[in-house]
Amino acid sequence: MKTRYFLRSAARSMAAVLFCSLFLLCCSRKESRAADSGTVQDASLAGMRYVRSIPNTYAKMFSVDEYEGGFRLVTVNGSMRYLLVPEGASAPQSLPQDITVLQQPFDALYLASSPVMALMCRAGALPQVKFCSTAADKWYIPEAVEAMRSGAVRYVGKYDSPDFELLLSEGADIAVESAMIFHKPQVQEKLESLGIPVFVDESSYEDHPLGRVEWVRLYGMFMGKEAVAESFFAEQVQMIAPLEKEAALGKSVAFFYVNSDGMAVVRGTDDYIARMIGIAGGSYACAGIPESKTDSSTVQLSMEEFYQSARDADFLVYNTTIDKSVKGLDDLLAKNSVFADFKAVKEHQVWASKNYLYQGTDNLAGFIMEMRQVLTDNAGADKAAADMLFLEHLE
């Protein structure tokens, strides 16, 4: 009896397992079909026929899909979606709620991401920028300085506390923010409640330098300056194209600054600065350091650690964009006397980045070519630095 009871129980258990397996399989197939139909639905977004995906050359943080009627679906970082609606057209009523509508044209743009200013200038769209969150004395882009001076662009306060009333009364039609806005969600909510759509720029997360520059193509689409933007980006690509055929130069470069705690702050191995040094033909002296444990692009090293990494570097580049106190070799040595033992200091190959570097996202190919000049110029550092936009030689 016990044996028969056991067998009947085992049979019932096996049947239950089989039923559950079949049920899960059916559900899996239904979910798979749902996912497939979702893809098809996206391809015919809100009744609009999909036309094509516009390819990028380097940029990975945004994509653009074109739909009939000139509509373009912009996806940033794989999750934030924006529908660019051409002038004279209206957004479909059945548009998914997660998609932000950007209605062209834009004639009163509020710019709260300073690196985007240079891209707007190169796209020929500066006249359409009317407000910004960077004060006049903080700009290093000549066109931005002049626009602020003339009143063509108005300062409306910092990104986390803009003058909402001014933006509303003056008809701001779009806000371009950096990812910092995620720390102040109430600001984005307020802007959107006033009818000002918010677009979040994430060009700073591009791993290739020209990926950052390629965002000029996106802003060209936004501002009706697509041909100008495409032409400018093509020039940037062509500028560094010859370097792809060149062998590495065997020269190493350390890019850093010393913080108030006496720590050397260097860029991570995968950072765009390190990438630009590599494209120029150099090697990044701090390539062997541990990666940051946070999302920061920088790593702090003790002076002993930095000495081990960079003492034999052929060139030192001091980040005076962050620490402006170093204006010459004496200032560097005052930070720590150990710098006197560095090869680059002994050979007078210490350079500094100029203020334009972090705002000049339009011309990173130019930085690469200047770095190439530093690495290869045999006529002397002073001559090499004479007309440089990004770098200067420290005496």
Side-chain angles (χ1 to χ4, degrees):
M1 292 291 292
K2 292 183 178 180
T3 301
R4 286 198 299 271
Y5 176 80
F6 173 80
L7 290 174
R8 284 198 300 270
S9 299
R12 284 195 294 267
S13 298
M14 290 178 65
V17 170
L18 180 60
F19 173 81
C20 291
S21 299
L22 290 172
F23 177 80
L24 291 173
L25 180 60
C26 291
C27 290
S28 176
R29 288 176 177 173
K30 288 180 180 179
E31 290 171 359
S32 177
R33 286 196 298 271
D36 291 343
S37 67
T39 302
V40 173
Q41 186 177 1
D42 288 343
S44 58
L45 183 66
M48 297 184 298
R49 186 176 62 85
Y50 170 82
V51 177
R52 64 173 181 138
S53 293
I54 300 175
N56 293 340
T57 304
Y58 293 100
K60 297 178 180 178
M61 296 302 295
F62 78 85
S63 63
V64 181
D65 295 317
E66 188 172 342
Y67 291 80
E68 63 180 355
F71 293 86
R72 287 173 172 176
L73 181 67
V74 178
T75 304
V76 175
N77 199 10
S79 58
M80 294 181 290
R81 301 200 295 172
Y82 307 85
L83 184 66
L84 193 60
V85 179
E87 183 176 3
S90 299
Q93 293 183 351
S94 57
L95 201 66
Q97 292 184 352
D98 70 300
I99 297 179
T100 299
V101 174
L102 304 178
Q103 178 72 59
Q104 293 177 302
F106 302 116
D107 298 314
L109 184 143
Y110 163 46
L111 187 58
S113 177
S114 57
V116 177
M117 177 64 86
L119 300 179
M120 289 291 181
C121 290
R122 298 306 152 247
L126 180 58
Q128 294 155 266
V129 179
K130 300 300 182 184
F131 318 98
C132 73
S133 63
T134 302
D137 61 348
K138 301 298 182 183
W139 283 112
Y140 301 102
I141 300 169
E143 297 95 328
V145 172
E146 178 55 34
M148 295 288 287
R149 184 181 294 119
S150 68
V153 178
R154 300 170 64 180
Y155 175 64
V156 294
K158 294 182 179 181
Y159 85 97
D160 57 355
S161 56
D163 187 333
F164 294 109
E165 292 186 8
L166 177 62
L167 291 171
L168 180 62
S169 63
E170 295 295 326
D173 45 27
I174 184 174
V176 176
E177 301 273 356
S178 73
M180 292 294 291
I181 196 66
F182 296 138
H183 298 291
K184 298 290 180 178
Q186 67 274 18
V187 175
Q188 180 172 351
E189 292 170 4
K190 179 66 174 179
L191 288 168
E192 291 173 341
S193 73
L194 296 175
I196 303 172
V198 175
F199 175 80
V200 180
D201 174 272
E202 295 207 354
S203 58
S204 62
Y205 294 98
E206 295 286 354
D207 58 6
H208 194 287
L210 289 196
R212 296 181 172 216
V213 181
E214 191 164 9
W215 281 66
V216 73
R217 297 177 57 234
L218 183 60
Y219 292 119
M221 295 178 196
F222 279 25
M223 311 306 287
K225 304 289 185 180
E226 197 165 349
V228 176
E230 292 283 355
S231 176
F232 173 78
F233 179 66
E235 292 173 2
Q236 287 282 295
V237 173
Q238 288 302 311
M239 191 182 298
I240 66 169
L243 299 183
E244 296 179 356
K245 302 177 182 179
E246 298 288 338
L249 298 170
K251 302 287 187 179
S252 57
V253 182
F255 187 95
F256 73 105
Y257 73 94
V258 179
N259 66 17
S260 58
D261 295 324
M263 303 281 283
V265 183
V266 303
R267 312 296 294 197
T269 303
D270 294 330
D271 180 73
Y272 82 110
I273 295 287
R275 291 288 297 272
M276 289 195 290
I277 291 171
I279 295 170
S283 61
Y284 186 50
C286 299
I289 63 172
E291 290 298 319
S292 173
K293 295 181 180 179
T294 67
D295 290 334
S296 174
S297 60
T298 60
V299 180
Q300 293 188 22
L301 301 178
S302 68
M303 193 51 63
E304 181 180 356
E305 291 172 321
F306 183 66
Y307 179 81
Q308 293 297 322
S309 296
R311 63 181 175 183
D312 294 324
D314 297 291
F315 300 89
L316 296 181
V317 179
Y318 196 86
N319 190 355
T320 52
T321 309
I322 303 297
D323 177 20
K324 295 177 172 57
S325 66
V326 174
K327 303 181 184 303
L329 285 180
D330 289 342
D331 297 324
L332 180 63
L333 293 172
K335 294 281 185 181
N336 196 310
S337 60
V338 75
F339 282 114
D341 293 331
F342 280 59
K343 176 184 177 181
V345 174
K346 294 177 181 179
E347 297 181 358
H348 299 281
Q349 288 294 354
V350 181
W351 296 73
S353 61
K354 293 183 179 180
N355 289 322
Y356 190 73
L357 177 58
Y358 288 122
Q359 290 184 356
T361 50
D362 60 317
N363 192 21
L364 294 183
F367 177 90
I368 292 169
M369 297 309 294
E370 285 189 9
M371 180 58 66
R372 178 76 176 189
Q373 187 177 356
V374 167
L375 294 173
T376 59
D377 193 344
N378 297 317
D382 293 335
K383 181 179 178 181
D387 299 315
M388 287 188 168
L389 179 63
F390 295 98
L391 298 169
E392 61 182 338
H393 187 246
L394 294 184
E395 296 292 336

